[in-house]
């Protein structure tokens, strides 16, 4: 079986350094925040090209806190996309605001700036584009829109560690950016983790308070806060992995290039890549009109795949209250029907990439016959 993602191989690759690092944290008893988290915050913010990183317990919490720090609350509208992981939208509801969906661009599969412009109302506070699959949204037109209308831009960069847009790192494009360190992400903890990064010192200070009970000084609660702190051991694990992230991302890009070559004649649509962006290839997502059949046949052939995502958020039963329905976002709905994520991780071999591509080519030929 060729696995979709191989976290055990990742552990084998880091364990000589990770085990002593974990032991140091355990022996120091600095289990929550502490020096490892502080060092990781600085190192990860530097990768993003900004001054401040605020480590939290999940990517979802990072989105929640970024929206709070932007002053978003009941009566406000936040523009985002339905073709994303549900957390993007849940966080908007957590602060009591209204998610306003706009469709994605059909090729890039991120927020369509023209549609975003049409969705702005006097209640709009934030644009929340998602850097889906490891490729940034088309940020310049979105930043121009935000500037013209006095909106805050928050990047959902949970899939885009190490990506860049026109030479600027993901994480440095909006006022704040949100990252997840869920184990399967390009940079993942040995458990849960997340971070907000920002260049703005005042926002950073507010975010630090919000993640730790709204207090700067213990037991003095200036704001309504949360217990969203990052564990010390996760800070240590993430530091060990962060050193390897650039090489891991290079391997992902090499695998993506090889997939692209091997799939050129196969009957699937390969991912569209913006020429001026550095893709982090969190996921390698192809499209096919008979996606479910292709996925089932690949499974039979020993190739594990994933679906990101099979149901757009506006059609999820838990979000029916937002009042959207089928047909509202055709590009997102078409993507949900057709996308298939092929195995992608740095611990896949080139031979495995060729094997997967060969199986895809064979099966699509049979399906099209
Ligand atoms: C993973 C992810 C999140 C949520 O991160 P968690 O750490 O799982 O809470 C949010 N948005 C996107 C686009 C993601 O991929």
């Amino acid at each position: 079986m060729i696995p979709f993602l191989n976290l055990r191989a990742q552990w084998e690759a880091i364990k000589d350094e990770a085990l002593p690092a974990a032991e140091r944290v355990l022996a120091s008893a600095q289990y929550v925040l502490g020096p490892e988290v502080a060092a990781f915050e600085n190192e990860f913010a530097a990768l993003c090209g900004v001054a401040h990183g605020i480590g939290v317990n999940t990517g979802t919490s990072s989105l929640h806190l970024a929206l709070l720090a932007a002053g978003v609350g009941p009566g406000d509208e936040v523009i985002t996309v339905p073709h994303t992981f549900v957390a993007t939208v849940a966080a908007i509801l957590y602060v009591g605001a209204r998610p306003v969906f706009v469709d994605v661009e059909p090729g890039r599969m991120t927020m369509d700036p023209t549609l975003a412009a049409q969705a702005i109302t006097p209640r709009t506070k934030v644009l929340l584009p998602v850097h889906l699959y490891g490729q940034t949204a088309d940020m310049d037109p979105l930043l121009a829109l935000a500037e013209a209308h006095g909106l805050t831009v928050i990047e959902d960069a949970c899939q885009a560690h190490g990506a860049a847009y026109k030479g600027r790192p993901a994480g440095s494009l909006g006022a704040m950016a949100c990252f997840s360190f869920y184990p399967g992400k390009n940079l993942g903890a040995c458990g849960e983790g997340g971070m907000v990064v920002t260049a703005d010192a005042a926002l950073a200070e507010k975010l630090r308070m919000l993640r730790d009970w709204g207090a700067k000084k213990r037991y003095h609660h200036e704001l309504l806060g949360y217990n969203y702190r990052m564990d010390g051991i996760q800070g240590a694990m993430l530091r060990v992995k962060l050193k390897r992230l650039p090489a891991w991302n290079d391997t992902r890009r090499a695998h993506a290039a090889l997939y692209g070559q091997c799939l050129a004649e196969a009957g699937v649509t390969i991912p569209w890549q913006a020429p001026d962006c550095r893709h982090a290839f969190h996921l390698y997502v192809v499209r096919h009109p008979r996606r479910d059949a292709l996925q089932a046949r690949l499974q039979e052939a020993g190739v594990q795949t994933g679906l990101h995502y099979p149901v757009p958020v506006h059609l999820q039963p838990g979000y029916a209250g937002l009042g959207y329905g089928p047909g509202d976002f055709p590009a997102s709905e078409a993507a949900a029907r057709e996308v298939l994520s092929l195995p992608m991780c740095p611990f896949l071999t080139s031979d495995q990439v060729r094997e997967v591509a060969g199986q895809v080519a064979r099966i699509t030929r049979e399906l099209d016959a």
Side-chain angles (χ1 to χ4, degrees):
M1 174 65 72
I2 298 180
F4 177 65
L5 166 74
N6 193 344
L7 288 176
R8 287 202 199 98
Q10 189 198 57
W11 174 250
E12 289 304 320
I14 63 165
K15 125 176 145 187
D16 288 349
E17 200 178 334
L19 272 179
E23 192 172 2
R24 278 196 297 277
V25 175
L26 295 174
S28 75
Q30 290 188 292
Y31 299 132
V32 179
L33 297 175
E36 291 290 332
V37 170
F40 175 61
E41 288 174 334
N42 289 332
E43 291 162 7
F44 191 74
L47 176 90
C48 298
V50 296
H52 310 281
I54 295 88
V56 295
N57 58 341
T58 66
T60 306
S61 300
S62 74
L63 288 159
H64 185 187
L65 293 192
L67 289 162
L68 287 172
V72 180
D76 295 330
E77 293 176 357
V78 175
I79 296 177
T80 193
V81 290
H83 184 52
T84 182
F85 181 59
V86 71
T88 316
V89 184
I92 298 167
L93 293 166
Y94 293 167
V95 301
R98 177 177 168 71
V100 173
F101 290 126
V102 298
D103 212 347
V104 295
E105 298 184 73
R108 191 178 193 122
M109 287 201 261
T110 57
M111 183 182 286
D112 186 323
T114 308
L115 297 174
Q118 291 164 10
I120 292 172
T121 75
R123 291 169 181 259
T124 309
K125 263 255 169 94
V126 164
L127 299 182
L128 180 49
V130 180
H131 301 329
L132 199 73
Y133 305 151
Q135 177 161 255
T136 66
D138 188 10
M139 292 301 288
D140 278 344
L142 294 172
L143 292 166
L145 260 185
E147 175 81 32
H149 295 271
L151 311 176
T152 301
V153 176
I154 299 173
E155 303 166 60
D156 183 337
C158 287
Q159 301 187 2
H161 319 70
Y165 175 82
K166 303 185 182 176
R168 290 128 67 193
S172 70
L173 302 163
M176 288 173 272
C178 302
F179 287 89
S180 163
F181 306 117
Y182 183 75
K185 309 286 175 163
N186 288 31
L187 180 62
C190 298
E192 307 267 5
M195 192 177 290
V196 188
V197 300
T198 181
D200 184 315
L203 285 173
E205 180 171 43
K206 195 165 172 193
L207 288 160
R208 277 184 207 289
M209 290 170 69
L210 286 168
R211 76 153 170 207
D212 195 6
W213 293 117
K216 249 183 278 183
K217 196 170 141 204
R218 205 170 210 186
Y219 306 129
H220 295 268
H221 307 280
E222 296 173 42
L223 302 170
L224 171 64
Y226 298 81
N227 178 357
Y228 282 174
R229 298 170 303 226
M230 180 181 273
D231 284 347
I233 203 161
Q234 301 310 345
M237 297 299 93
L238 286 160
R239 290 185 76 196
V240 170
K241 295 192 195 187
L242 179 61
K243 287 191 236 170
R244 292 156 173 87
L245 179 68
W248 286 347
N249 278 352
D250 284 345
T251 304
R252 287 174 182 272
R253 281 187 283 270
H255 286 339
L258 184 56
Y259 267 136
Q261 283 167 26
C262 299
L263 292 172
E265 308 293 317
V268 290
T269 307
I270 64 170
W272 184 85
Q273 275 190 77
D276 48 2
C277 293
R278 186 172 69 213
H279 203 311
F281 278 106
H282 172 54
L283 297 167
Y284 188 86
V285 178
V286 298
R287 294 176 66 149
H288 190 272
R290 296 184 59 195
R291 185 269 318 277
D292 290 340
L294 175 56
Q295 183 178 38
R297 305 273 284 268
L298 281 168
Q299 182 73 26
E300 284 165 22
V303 177
Q304 219 178 41
T305 57
L307 300 182
H308 304 88
Y309 297 90
V311 182
V313 182
H314 72 288
L315 300 180
Q316 297 282 358
Y319 294 74
L322 296 175
Y324 295 103
D328 284 347
F329 305 104
S332 292
E333 291 168 35
R337 283 191 300 270
E338 296 177 357
V339 290
L340 182 69
S341 308
L342 301 183
M344 171 55 85
C345 89
F347 299 93
L348 199 66
T349 65
S350 301
D351 283 342
Q352 288 176 314
V353 171
R354 285 193 198 92
E355 162 72 14
V356 172
Q359 295 290 354
V360 170
R362 175 185 63 80
I363 295 167
T364 51
R365 251 192 329 269
E366 290 168 11
L367 289 174
D368 291 344

